[in-house]
Amino acid sequence: MSVKEFPLPDLGEGLTESEIVAWKVSVGDRVELNQIIAEVETAKALVEVPSPFEGTVRALHAEPGQTLDVGAPLVSFEVEDGADDGVDDSVGDDLEPADAAVDAVEQARVLEPVVVGARAEDAADAPSEIVGQGAVSAVATPTKEERHEVLVGRGPKEQSGQRPHRRPRSGRLSAPIVRERAGGDQGASSGAGETRLAASGVRRRTAEAMVRSAAVPQVTEFLTVDVTRGIRLLDRLAAEPEFRGRRVTVLTLAAKALCIALAATPDANARWDDATDEIVTPPGVNLGIAVATDRGLVVPNIRDADGMRMPDLADAIRSLVETARAGRSTPAELTGGTVTITNVGVFGVDAGTPLLNPGETAILALGAVNRRPWEHKNAVRLRHVMTLSLTFDHRVIDGEQGSRLLRDIARILADPASALAVA
């Protein structure tokens, strides 16, 4: 028998650490090749890590709630000498992080998202609380030769003289992570019954991102608009053959309006490059939809949303929702956004001051759609009214540009035919 050590693999997207959420195996368990052995959380997603070996678990090198650096020992396995475990013994124990795990992690999953974006009137049946179970990463069993290349890696590490060490964080070694602080426990000055929750990878990185965002000179403007005609359009579209069976909501209409309005104010889709003090304009609109999870905020995006017809955009939004519901949002889908839209209206909120997603110049928040007394054709009538909130980076666009973008979005929602004037 020989011992094989499996280090925490590089989970992609430049991430350097992960938190152990749960072990799927125990010391002494017999595991198969590609069997899920652990659930770890990166800054972007919850990931299931498969075993690169067939053998017996000899040691688990971390506890739930502990954060490990990439390359730190994760699991030690005891394998039979000469057994077909996919490992060339001549390579030795010092191996690169297993690429098979990396392949599996490409299917990194985000669990239990709450999709922030649906028509307020449809909040009862909107996917506002989407609970996923975390899809198991499917990895095909390769040949022995392929397993050597894929599971083991490219060869021995450069001998550095020492291995990376575990990097525990304060308060992260307790299991469960939520701990009741009784009076006198570690000098707690508050009363009994206090609980503390160690921030998870997603929530911690979200907090860091929001701190960075707050350092940006950003401005929020508000505009309340009568969207009765927009609501009527949605009702008419629902009966059209091309839209039949598609979920077309205020979010869909607002997303289309934002994409159209950006054509007249393209700098709102650009970003400020801190390293070069340049304004970088991408070739298209990657429209982010803010998604809240119990671990923090994530923003998956729809690539090239500006080139989509409204039926296609409706399908893309629905697909984004279904992907999140099934826990299939990958780290790649959570990066590269250029502008974001969030719907706080599904929670009954009229308006807010959303913080920018770092690296973006604008974020549009949709408030609740309510029937309110509103002046219409020289009379006060009950109309569908909502408030739009637009936060923008004042380094990239100024007040005139931000106001124009918000006005154009509002005009399209109030009178969809006006899209012809700004398209």
Side-chain angles (χ1 to χ4, degrees):
M1 304 292 285
S2 60
V3 176
K4 302 293 183 181
E5 190 173 88
F6 177 41
L8 178 69
D10 179 353
L11 302 180
E13 299 296 325
L15 302 175
T16 60
E17 64 182 26
S18 295
E19 178 183 312
I20 306 301
V21 175
W23 288 108
K24 301 300 182 181
V25 295
S26 302
V27 173
D29 285 356
R30 178 76 181 177
V31 298
E32 302 295 328
L33 183 68
N34 295 328
Q35 178 180 333
I36 299 303
I37 57 175
E39 193 175 74
V40 303
E41 187 175 55
T42 72
K44 298 183 180 299
L46 200 64
V47 178
E48 291 177 320
V49 179
S51 171
F53 302 112
E54 178 179 319
T56 302
V57 177
R58 180 173 180 177
L60 305 177
H61 296 289
E63 300 176 22
Q66 185 173 347
T67 297
L68 294 183
D69 291 324
V70 168
L74 183 64
V75 184
S76 291
F77 296 92
E78 192 173 77
V79 300
E80 294 181 8
D81 292 327
D84 184 13
D85 57 17
V87 179
D88 184 346
D89 290 338
S90 65
V91 176
D93 289 342
D94 251 358
L95 304 173
E96 291 289 351
D99 288 348
V102 178
D103 290 340
V105 214
E106 287 300 321
Q107 302 175 43
R109 309 307 188 214
V110 178
L111 302 184
E112 304 172 4
V114 177
V115 174
V116 184
R119 182 171 168 180
E121 298 95 310
D122 300 334
D125 62 347
S128 58
E129 292 187 359
I130 301 172
V131 180
Q133 297 301 318
V136 174
S137 301
V139 182
T141 303
T143 65
K144 179 175 181 179
E145 292 75 14
E146 289 172 333
R147 279 182 291 182
H148 178 188
E149 296 297 325
V150 178
L151 290 178
V152 176
R154 299 176 181 82
K157 289 182 181 177
E158 294 295 326
Q159 298 299 320
S160 62
Q162 64 179 17
R163 289 180 191 273
H165 295 289
R166 288 179 281 179
R167 186 157 58 84
R169 295 182 182 276
S170 175
R172 302 177 78 76
L173 297 180
S174 296
I177 299 176
V178 180
R179 297 172 293 124
E180 183 171 331
R181 299 286 301 274
D185 178 58
Q186 297 183 6
S189 59
S190 58
E194 181 185 73
T195 60
R196 296 204 175 198
L197 177 65
S200 68
V202 173
R203 191 171 298 279
R204 178 161 43 85
R205 290 299 178 90
T206 298
E208 293 169 357
M210 292 300 95
V211 170
R212 295 198 310 272
S213 176
V216 172
Q218 50 191 292
V219 175
T220 303
E221 294 186 343
F222 306 89
L223 184 58
T224 302
V225 57
D226 177 357
V227 295
T228 304
R229 289 182 181 177
I231 297 297
R232 289 174 180 168
L233 172 64
L234 295 178
D235 293 337
R236 290 200 304 273
L237 291 179
E240 293 291 327
E242 192 172 15
F243 287 88
R244 198 163 296 154
R246 288 185 162 104
R247 183 174 179 79
V248 186
T249 66
V250 169
L251 173 63
T252 312
L253 184 60
K256 186 62 177 177
L258 175 58
C259 289
I260 293 173
L262 283 170
T265 313
D267 283 349
N269 191 55
R271 63 181 173 84
W272 182 273
D273 189 326
D274 291 305
T276 62
D277 288 343
E278 295 175 321
I279 295 175
V280 182
T281 303
V285 176
N286 293 341
L287 181 62
I289 305 294
V291 178
T293 77
D294 63 346
R295 293 177 175 85
L297 183 70
V298 292
V299 187
N301 64 82
I302 300 169
R303 304 284 167 156
D304 300 317
D306 53 324
M308 293 182 175
R309 298 164 56 249
M310 196 163 169
D312 300 325
L313 188 58
D315 286 343
I317 293 174
R318 180 173 182 175
S319 177
L320 179 146
V321 170
E322 291 177 347
T323 297
R325 175 182 293 168
R328 296 197 307 268
S329 297
T330 66
E333 293 167 334
L334 298 170
T335 57
T338 60
V339 66
T340 293
I341 187 169
T342 180
N343 188 354
V344 297
V346 293
F347 305 114
V349 175
D350 292 329
T353 54
L355 288 175
L356 293 171
N357 197 26
E360 298 179 11
T361 290
I363 179 171
L364 175 69
L366 309 179
V369 178
N370 295 308
R371 285 177 60 82
R372 299 179 185 172
W374 194 264
E375 184 180 356
H376 179 69
K377 294 183 178 179
N378 297 320
V380 176
R381 306 176 186 272
L382 282 177
R383 306 284 288 180
H384 289 285
V385 176
M386 73 183 301
T387 298
L388 304 175
S389 310
L390 181 72
T391 297
F392 55 89
D393 186 340
H394 215 303
R395 299 173 301 176
V396 182
I397 60 175
D398 55 30
E400 186 273 333
Q401 292 169 294
S403 298
R404 182 175 67 233
L405 176 63
L406 185 58
R407 178 204 64 197
D408 288 344
I409 296 168
R411 182 164 58 173
I412 295 170
L413 293 176
D415 181 10
S418 66
L420 298 174
V422 295

